Amino acid sequence: MNKSQEFDRTTSLVRRKVVQGIAAFGAMALAFGSMAGAAWAESLLDKIKNGEPIRIGYSNDAPWAFPGENNEPLGISNSVLLPVLKKMGATKIESVVTEWGSLIPGLQAGRFDLIADAMYILPARCRNVLFTDPIASVKQAMVVPKGNPKEVHSLEDLRDKGLTFVTGAGFDDVALAKKLGIPDAKIMQVAGYTEIAQAVKAGRADGGGGEYLGMKKAVGDEDRLELAKPYIQSGKPGYPAYAFPLNEQATVDAFNSAMKGYLRSDEMMAAVGKYGYDETILPDGTKTADLCME
């Protein structure tokens, strides 16, 4: 190889390295730009500050959350949520009503900014959303046919007698029933409390489970159904809270701070009292962080 050929070869190698370096730098700059864009994406606090509409997602889950006329957000959780958001500066609220099982996927997909329904704090859910402080401490109930002919007073009774249990799709009762040994074939999942009561009334299930207020409202004045008394609860009470996206920790902190001055107040108790909420189901001091780690 003569000097001219060696020079051409060296020049070619240098050019190739330069081109590779430029390409690598460009890819790195693009990645950094994407990360910076994500980091600077508008937070929910920004939306509140800027006066933008805040979209709240909930299911038709009376008495906790349900739509009224013109999609007006009603129920216990909305009666607590809306005043707290107002304290934070929110002036425009938009309702997005969906199925219970679509709440977390809908939040993750950005269909709404937060889940307004009263969703129990559970470790599996904590991996997908950020929960606020609990807004209540509630027990479960069991709807059975009038007179409770099969003497059902617990999930264990349903299991031991080989009976069919019905509950809401996505309710924590599903996992609890499986944990207690009720086979999948004996667990019926429906849309919500009304459907739970209807399944028991129609004889398609022997007992239906859910939280106390929801089940009480679903039974109502129905003369063919009643709540099992006594009812022996399996597991601890449920602790409902609001759920936010995983990148909204600052918003959750601000929300909890604003909620402290409202929770337990006379104003709040008057607002939620018409839905059956009373001092017996106020939060008992259990922390969200502890519930997420159980």
Side-chain angles (χ1 to χ4, degrees):
M1 180 184 298
N2 58 36
K3 290 184 177 181
S4 176
Q5 290 173 321
E6 184 177 355
F7 177 79
D8 290 343
R9 180 175 178 274
T10 301
T11 301
S12 176
L13 288 172
V14 170
R15 286 175 178 171
R16 189 180 307 161
K17 293 294 185 182
V18 169
V19 170
Q20 290 174 343
I22 291 173
F25 178 79
M28 185 170 62
L30 181 60
F32 178 80
S34 297
M35 289 188 291
W40 287 100
E42 186 180 42
S43 71
L44 185 50
L45 283 177
D46 292 330
K47 293 184 68 173
I48 292 175
K49 181 179 179 180
N50 296 332
E52 297 178 36
I54 305 303
R55 299 164 300 161
I56 61 174
Y58 55 93
S59 64
N60 196 345
D61 180 26
W64 289 96
F66 59 95
E69 294 182 7
N70 301 317
N71 228 26
E72 178 188 6
L74 301 175
I76 295 169
S77 58
N78 283 322
S79 295
V80 177
L81 175 71
L82 299 181
V84 174
L85 289 177
K86 184 177 180 180
K87 286 179 63 176
M88 294 174 67
T91 57
K92 300 176 183 177
I93 303 295
E94 294 180 355
S95 289
V96 180
V97 182
T98 186
E99 293 290 332
W100 174 267
S102 299
L103 287 171
I104 289 180
L107 181 69
Q108 294 173 322
R111 291 188 57 217
F112 32 86
D113 299 304
L114 64 97
I115 296 175
D117 221 316
M119 182 169 283
Y120 282 0
I121 302 169
L122 299 174
R125 291 173 180 164
C126 294
R127 292 192 286 269
N128 295 292
V129 300
L130 290 178
F131 282 107
T132 65
D133 292 338
I135 63 170
S137 170
V138 298
K139 295 182 178 180
Q140 302 300 95
M142 179 79 70
V143 58
V144 293
K146 192 72 172 181
N148 199 359
K150 297 184 180 179
E151 298 186 359
V152 173
H153 296 283
S154 66
L155 287 174
E156 288 86 349
D157 284 344
L158 289 171
R159 176 197 64 197
D160 296 343
K161 297 178 180 183
L163 303 176
T164 298
F165 174 58
V166 60
T167 190
F171 283 20
D172 63 311
D173 300 74
V174 176
L176 180 58
K178 292 181 179 181
K179 181 179 179 180
L180 291 174
I182 298 179
D184 288 346
K186 293 292 185 178
I187 300 175
M188 180 187 302
Q189 299 185 49
V190 295
Y193 292 107
T194 300
E195 291 79 10
I196 292 172
Q198 289 174 344
V200 176
K201 180 179 177 180
R204 294 185 289 118
D206 302 289
E211 63 85 19
Y212 175 74
L213 293 179
M215 293 311 314
K216 181 180 179 181
K217 181 174 178 60
V219 171
D221 297 327
E222 175 56 58
D223 60 5
R224 293 170 59 185
L225 298 173
E226 65 180 44
L227 294 182
K229 295 181 180 180
Y231 178 66
I232 303 170
Q233 177 161 324
S234 304
K236 299 178 180 179
Y239 296 92
Y242 305 106
F244 289 74
L246 290 173
N247 62 346
E248 290 285 356
Q249 184 62 59
T251 307
V252 171
D253 293 341
F255 184 93
N256 284 335
S257 179
M259 186 166 63
K260 283 181 181 178
Y262 185 70
L263 206 61
R264 301 175 183 271
S265 68
D266 291 342
E267 179 185 353
M268 173 199 149
M269 298 307 291
V272 299
K274 60 185 177 183
Y275 298 113
Y277 186 113
D278 58 33
E279 64 278 359
T280 64
I281 61 173
L282 280 166
D284 60 11
T286 300
K287 303 297 184 182
T288 296
D290 295 333
L291 293 167
C292 284
M293 293 179 65
E294 290 182 354

